[in-house]
Amino acid sequence: GFSQRELPRPSPDDYAVILFTSGSESAPKAVPLSNKNLITNIRACLDVLQAVRSDVVLGILPPFHSFGLLANLLAPILAGARMVHHPDPTDAAGLVRVIAAYGATIAVTTPTFLGYMLSAARPQQLRTVRILVTGAEKCPEAVFQQAERLAPQAILLEGYGITECSPVVAANRPERMKRGAIGLPVQNVEVCVVDPESFQPLPPGKTGMLLVSGP
C-alpha cells in the first residue's frame, strides 16, 4: 500500500513553480518561485482582502500567469474559501451568469476583463459581490464608474505586482482606498523609489525607479 511517509518533504526554499513572463518588466524570462515566496505573498494578499471561509471567489485568470496562480487558485485553497471557475475570461455574459448562480463575493481579474463583465451585467446579477480586485494593468476611471453604478455595495481595489515578486507588491485596502493609486506595500514588503542613475532615494512626489524587497 501507499503511505504518506513515502512522499517527499519539500523545504520552504524549494522551487514550487517556474513561470514565464511576458516581458513587461524588461526581457521575457523564466522566474522560479519557492514555496516560501508564494505562501508569504498569499498571506499578505489574504490580509488585504480579509477573506473568510464563507467567501466565494470567481476564478477566471489562467494559472500560467502569476496573478491567476496566486489569486484564483492557491490563495482561495489556503484560505478555505470556495472557488467558482470559468474557462473563458472574455465570455462576459457567461461570467455574469456564474457570479449570479453561485453568489460570488470576490472577483480578482484585470481591468479589461472586469470592463467586459460590467458591460454585460445588470445590478441584480452582481448583488453578492463585495470586493473587486484588479491588477496587471492600470484600471481606467470608466471602469471605476461602471462598478459604482452596477455594484455599489462592492469595493474596487487596485494593486500592483510582477511575477518576480511572487507577484503582489502593493495594494489598496478596503478601509484605505485611493482611486487611481496602487496602494501601500503588502505585508513584509518594503519599497524605495530611487534615482535610476545614482540609486539615491528620492523624496515623495518625485518619479524614479522602484526597488522592492521582501520574502
Side-chain angles (χ1 to χ4, degrees):
F2 179 78
S3 166
Q4 281 194 332
R5 285 195 297 268
E6 296 173 46
L7 289 172
R9 294 193 174 277
S11 107
D13 293 319
D14 286 348
Y15 293 145
V17 65
I18 297 175
L19 297 175
F20 293 87
T21 72
S22 60
S24 55
E25 304 290 331
S26 73
K29 62 179 83 69
V31 177
L33 297 173
S34 70
N35 295 300
K36 182 182 177 184
N37 292 154
L38 293 172
I39 289 172
T40 53
N41 204 237
I42 288 166
R43 284 183 185 276
C45 293
L46 293 176
D47 175 66
V48 168
L49 290 179
Q50 298 161 19
V52 293
R53 285 184 180 272
S54 58
D55 276 316
V56 179
V57 182
L58 178 69
I60 63 171
L61 298 175
F64 60 75
H65 188 278
S66 59
F67 194 26
L69 177 69
L70 189 102
N72 282 181
L73 195 64
L74 297 179
I77 289 172
L78 294 179
R82 288 189 297 157
M83 287 181 292
V84 182
H85 284 280
H86 190 72
D88 183 0
T90 66
D91 176 18
L95 288 166
V96 171
R97 287 195 297 271
V98 166
I99 290 171
Y102 291 94
T105 60
I106 298 175
V108 184
T109 182
T110 68
T112 297
F113 295 147
L114 178 58
Y116 294 161
M117 281 192 286
L118 292 171
S119 295
R122 299 188 307 275
Q124 180 64 15
Q125 294 173 298
L126 303 176
R127 61 185 173 77
T128 59
V129 179
R130 68 180 188 89
I131 293 181
L132 296 164
V133 181
T134 69
E137 58 186 273
K138 183 171 174 56
C139 188
E141 176 61 24
V143 174
F144 276 101
Q145 292 175 4
Q146 268 185 309
E148 283 178 341
R149 192 172 68 254
L150 292 161
Q153 79 290 346
I155 302 170
L156 174 50
L157 302 177
E158 190 169 9
Y160 167 73
I162 57 171
T163 303
E164 293 87 338
C165 293
S166 308
V168 182
V169 172
N172 280 278
R173 273 59 163 182
E175 72 284 356
R176 188 168 181 175
M177 219 282 288
K178 185 178 179 183
R179 198 134 131 180
I182 58 169
L184 297 171
V186 298
Q187 205 175 63
N188 298 316
V189 169
E190 293 180 283
V191 299
C192 182
V193 179
V194 300
D195 181 279
E197 303 285 329
S198 67
F199 278 77
Q200 290 302 306
L202 292 172
K206 293 292 186 183
T207 301
M209 181 165 64
L210 182 70
L211 303 184
V212 183
S213 175

